Amino acid sequence: MTSNTGHCKIVDCTIRDGGLVNNWDFSVEFVQDLYRWLNEAGVDYMEIGYKNSPKLLKGADSAGPWRFLDDKFLREVIPQKGETKLSALCDVGRVDENDILPREESLLDLIRVACYIQDVDKALRLVELFRQRGYETTLNIMALSNVMENQLIEAFKAIADSPVDIVYIVDSYGSLLPDDVNYLVDQFQKYLPNKRLGAHMHNNLQMAFANTLLAAGKGVELLDASVYGMGRAAGNCPTELLVAKLKNPKYEVRPVLQMIEKHMIPLREKEEWGYIIPYMITGLLDEHPRSAMALRNSPDKDKAVDFYDRLMTVETVRS
Amino acid sequence: MTSNTGHCKIVDCTIRDGGLVNNWDFSVEFVQDLYRWLNEAGVDYMEIGYKNSPKLLKGADSAGPWRFLDDKFLREVIPQKGETKLSALCDVGRVDENDILPREESLLDLIRVACYIQDVDKALRLVELFRQRGYETTLNIMALSNVMENQLIEAFKAIADSPVDIVYIVDSYGSLLPDDVNYLVDQFQKYLPNKRLGAHMHNNLQMAFANTLLAAGKGVELLDASVYGMGRAAGNCPTELLVAKLKNPKYEVRPVLQMIEKHMIPLREKEEWGYIIPYMITGLLDEHPRSAMALRNSPDKDKAVDFYDRLMTVETVRS
């Protein structure tokens, strides 16, 4: 009953994006179980963390090892690779390019470079470097809902001229509705006809799965997801829904249910993500969830009306 | 950025469908607050309960008053009507038609009749009766995902010849994806060109809001929702998202946030609904959530893998 989605590949971001929830405090057993079950589920990529540099980030000491992936440590965690490829994300300005080994010396297959629109040129330079080192690469343009069309079209020109493989549409604030995704995919396909596309959606407005499926049906190839939707703030498109509903006989939902039962349900008792009203509000207002995250860490965490009023006042003052 | 939705009306089902979660144990203050805030939010209808007969149902004694609405009691609860109209649902086989007063003697504006496909003729007889008593009426065909096309087309003939105002597409099992909703709305519009349409979606696959918005964009007029998504099992399309995102300047999200903060957040601590894995599984398998509801009331409530295996075995034996 679904549109054609046989071309799609799933990138599970549980460790990388979920790490933003629990400061990457995942046990080795958790990560090994996830890798095994993603393999059994037929998931194409597992994003096992960030490849940023601790020298370039604050609070690095307290974070778990998945925030600053070390290639040697990775070999201990994954002694035997399966079909599921491994991916890492890095951010423009936070990655030391010397940390990225030639691909033959690393377990990683895919390096993704995230940036805001104004840093597309810097990101493309990194992408080119990592491609030369042998990796598959993607360019992930964040916060597209805050980008003006003229800026986007200028960025498209630089991207079209670059050798980057795959370009991502990232709904950082979880504010996009299906009509918006429809429009953005059309624009990306019009201006970047020779690039493959990816989509990374957030669930602030309960649209992550719907928007991902819509993008898939329009030809977007790489689909980001995370198990039980674990990801910053409202979280992501749930991996279990994608493997269940994408039209590809290789996907199996049962192993993802095993991961959910053993690890995600207990973890969700301790950490929170998902459709929580302050995140819905920042999604509505098309802004970064940081104010909502701060609220959820305060004694006023359920005071949604005050929070809404505060943001609306700021919006009014701003405009 | 949304498709045209200016023709839409919202039917808030918090008390009626949410009552399936807590056995209609809502205080009068809760219902009065909801009515006030739905008025302020511009919501068009509030479905304040069921109008079934306690004589025709088991377990009637323990239920709150919103399961068997009494017109006299309603006048005490809502001494002063606002702009928001009042609705009640009844089920074929469970309603005593003598309980439905002439409209001028009731606070209710809308009576909706729910049925499965095989009872459409019985439902249409009730609809006609309630219309003659002066009410707006709808026919709500449940479990459409389990209906064969030939049965549906036969039902369409009876409906087209009847005076029913509005016909609902009900995704009882929360199993429909947007492509399915697209197809169903097309069929309803093709075979019932002179009827107005409604949509009632469940959130088992995190599609309730997306499917509702899709239906709205295609011309469906009455949109069911509930505050914070409260409804049986995975719940409904959240009212707060519809009032925030439908294109109609009369809708305001803030009063719905007031309801959520005062009543829904504390209630959700005691009662559960929403995207919970066993409900996701029954949605995937396109079946009634009753097995998942039983599981959630048992000590095995988080044993999702066993539950999945059990349902898959049943499916195999069945086929």
Side-chain angles (χ1 to χ4, degrees):
Chain A
M1 313 256 268
T2 318
S3 307
N4 180 28
T5 52
H7 61 284
C8 293
K9 297 184 173 68
I10 300 173
V11 182
D12 183 88
C13 301
T14 310
I15 303 301
R16 200 269 310 159
D17 204 329
L20 291 159
V21 176
N22 70 346
N23 201 24
W24 297 273
D25 183 20
F26 299 106
S27 69
V28 168
E29 184 198 4
F30 184 107
V31 175
Q32 288 176 330
D33 281 347
L34 179 61
Y35 186 67
R36 176 161 55 93
W37 279 322
L38 290 179
N39 266 281
E40 292 180 14
V43 170
D44 304 271
Y45 294 86
M46 168 167 159
E47 191 155 85
I48 196 164
Y50 276 100
K51 192 72 188 147
N52 287 332
S53 166
K55 292 166 288 184
L56 301 172
L57 269 161
K58 281 187 292 189
D61 293 347
S62 64
W66 324 102
R67 189 176 186 190
F68 307 105
L69 287 173
D70 175 83
D71 286 278
K72 202 165 131 239
F73 174 68
L74 255 192
R75 285 189 193 280
E76 292 164 25
V77 176
I78 314 275
Q80 179 82 45
K81 270 194 52 187
E83 290 290 311
T84 302
K85 293 180 173 179
L86 292 175
S87 158
L89 186 74
C90 61
D91 293 306
V92 167
R94 294 176 175 179
V95 59
D96 180 345
E97 57 194 57
N98 300 312
D99 289 345
I100 311 293
L101 301 178
R103 181 172 176 181
E104 57 272 20
E105 298 170 34
S106 172
L107 283 192
L108 297 172
D109 304 282
L110 168 66
I111 307 269
R112 313 203 296 172
V113 179
C115 71
Y116 291 102
I117 192 82
Q118 63 270 23
D119 289 329
V120 161
D121 54 342
K122 289 183 181 139
L124 287 174
R125 200 190 64 76
L126 287 173
V127 162
E128 174 56 7
L129 192 66
F130 302 153
R131 255 177 55 89
Q132 286 167 3
R133 292 185 190 165
Y135 295 96
E136 301 173 47
T137 54
T138 75
L139 171 70
N140 295 27
I141 311 176
M142 297 186 289
L144 280 172
S145 58
N146 275 203
V147 174
M148 280 172 56
E149 183 96 357
N150 62 329
Q151 298 174 310
L152 189 58
I153 287 172
E154 202 177 307
F156 282 148
K157 287 182 196 147
I159 296 165
D161 292 341
S162 83
V164 62
D165 304 311
I166 299 172
V167 186
Y168 259 81
I169 296 168
V170 182
D171 179 19
S172 302
Y173 305 156
S175 61
L176 299 180
L177 294 186
D179 282 0
D180 307 317
V181 173
N182 199 43
Y183 177 77
L184 278 174
V185 174
D186 283 348
Q187 290 291 87
F188 274 64
Q189 288 175 332
K190 176 178 167 192
Y191 286 98
L192 302 172
N194 301 320
K195 301 298 183 189
R196 295 152 66 201
L197 299 181
H200 181 97
M201 301 297 172
H202 280 279
N203 210 29
N204 304 57
L205 303 181
Q206 299 197 2
M207 281 296 181
F209 179 43
N211 283 342
T212 302
L213 217 51
L214 171 66
K218 289 177 71 83
V220 171
E221 185 179 327
L222 260 64
L223 308 178
D224 284 16
S226 59
V227 178
Y228 208 43
M230 186 185 188
R232 183 164 63 188
N236 302 113
C237 172
T239 302
E240 64 272 19
L241 292 176
L242 276 189
V243 295
K245 285 299 183 183
L246 285 183
K247 288 197 126 178
N248 189 329
K250 79 170 182 162
Y251 292 129
E252 295 286 347
V253 70
R254 192 178 183 281
V256 186
L257 296 178
Q258 290 178 284
M259 183 69 197
I260 292 173
E261 181 173 327
K262 180 172 177 188
H263 290 294
M264 304 312 289
I265 300 288
L267 182 55
R268 184 64 183 76
E269 306 266 307
K270 291 189 294 177
E271 306 281 351
E272 74 166 31
W273 66 87
Y275 180 73
I276 293 164
I277 293 297
Y279 302 140
M280 183 277 275
I281 292 171
T282 59
L284 277 187
L285 299 181
D286 190 12
E287 60 179 71
H288 194 287
R290 69 174 68 84
S291 58
M293 291 159 66
L295 184 80
R296 294 301 296 173
N297 277 318
S298 81
D300 293 336
K301 61 185 208 156
D302 287 317
K303 298 208 169 144
V305 180
D306 276 358
F307 178 71
Y308 178 76
D309 289 344
R310 201 143 33 89
L311 292 199
M312 290 297 282
T313 311
V314 172
E315 297 275 314
T316 311
V317 170
R318 251 199 235 150
S319 62
Chain B
M1 309 258 270
T2 318
S3 306
N4 180 28
T5 51
H7 61 285
C8 293
K9 297 185 172 69
I10 300 173
V11 181
D12 183 88
C13 302
T14 309
I15 302 302
R16 200 269 310 161
D17 204 329
L20 291 160
V21 175
N22 71 345
N23 200 25
W24 297 274
D25 183 19
F26 299 107
S27 69
V28 168
E29 184 198 3
F30 185 107
V31 174
Q32 288 175 332
D33 281 347
L34 179 61
Y35 186 67
R36 175 162 56 95
W37 280 322
L38 290 180
N39 266 282
E40 291 179 15
V43 170
D44 305 271
Y45 294 86
M46 167 168 163
E47 190 155 83
I48 195 163
Y50 276 99
K51 193 69 188 151
N52 287 332
S53 166
K55 291 165 289 181
L56 301 172
L57 270 162
K58 283 187 291 189
D61 293 347
S62 64
W66 324 102
R67 189 172 185 193
F68 307 104
L69 286 174
D70 175 83
D71 286 278
K72 205 168 127 231
F73 173 68
L74 256 190
R75 284 189 195 279
E76 290 165 27
V77 176
I78 314 276
Q80 178 82 44
K81 285 243 318 243
E83 289 291 310
T84 301
K85 292 180 175 178
L86 291 175
S87 157
L89 186 74
C90 61
D91 293 305
V92 167
R94 295 175 174 179
V95 59
D96 179 345
E97 58 194 57
N98 300 311
D99 289 346
I100 312 293
L101 301 178
R103 181 172 176 182
E104 59 271 20
E105 297 171 33
S106 171
L107 282 191
L108 297 171
D109 303 283
L110 169 66
I111 307 271
R112 314 203 297 171
V113 179
C115 70
Y116 291 102
I117 192 82
Q118 63 271 21
D119 288 328
V120 160
D121 54 343
K122 288 183 183 142
L124 287 173
R125 199 190 64 78
L126 287 174
V127 161
E128 173 56 6
L129 191 67
F130 302 154
R131 256 177 55 88
Q132 285 168 3
R133 290 185 190 164
Y135 295 97
E136 300 174 48
T137 57
T138 75
L139 170 69
N140 294 28
I141 311 177
M142 297 187 289
L144 281 172
S145 58
N146 274 204
V147 173
M148 281 171 56
E149 183 97 357
N150 62 329
Q151 298 174 311
L152 189 58
I153 287 172
E154 202 178 306
F156 282 148
K157 287 183 197 147
I159 296 165
D161 292 341
S162 82
V164 63
D165 303 311
I166 299 173
V167 185
Y168 258 81
I169 297 168
V170 183
D171 179 19
S172 302
Y173 305 157
S175 61
L176 299 180
L177 295 186
D179 282 359
D180 307 317
V181 173
N182 198 43
Y183 177 75
L184 277 175
V185 174
D186 283 348
Q187 291 290 88
F188 274 65
Q189 288 175 333
K190 176 177 166 194
Y191 287 97
L192 302 172
N194 300 320
K195 301 297 182 188
R196 296 151 66 198
L197 299 180
H200 180 95
M201 301 297 175
H202 281 278
N203 210 29
N204 303 60
L205 304 180
Q206 298 196 1
M207 280 297 180
F209 179 44
N211 284 342
T212 302
L213 218 50
L214 171 65
K218 289 177 72 80
V220 170
E221 184 178 329
L222 259 64
L223 308 178
D224 283 17
S226 59
V227 177
Y228 208 42
M230 185 185 189
R232 183 165 63 188
N236 303 114
C237 171
T239 302
E240 62 273 20
L241 292 176
L242 277 189
V243 294
K245 285 299 182 182
L246 286 182
K247 288 200 125 177
N248 188 329
K250 78 169 181 162
Y251 292 129
E252 295 288 346
V253 71
R254 191 178 185 279
V256 185
L257 296 177
Q258 291 179 281
M259 183 69 198
I260 292 174
E261 181 173 326
K262 179 170 178 190
H263 290 294
M264 304 312 288
I265 300 288
L267 181 56
R268 184 64 182 77
E269 305 265 306
K270 291 189 294 174
E271 307 281 351
E272 74 168 30
W273 65 88
Y275 181 73
I276 294 165
I277 293 297
Y279 301 140
M280 183 276 276
I281 292 171
T282 59
L284 277 186
L285 300 181
D286 190 14
E287 59 180 73
H288 194 286
R290 68 173 70 84
S291 57
M293 291 159 68
L295 184 82
R296 294 301 296 172
N297 277 318
S298 80
D300 293 336
K301 62 187 215 157
D302 286 319
K303 298 206 168 145
V305 180
D306 276 357
F307 177 71
Y308 177 75
D309 289 345
R310 203 143 32 90
L311 291 198
M312 290 299 280
T313 310
V314 173
E315 297 275 315
T316 310
V317 170
R318 249 200 239 149
S319 60

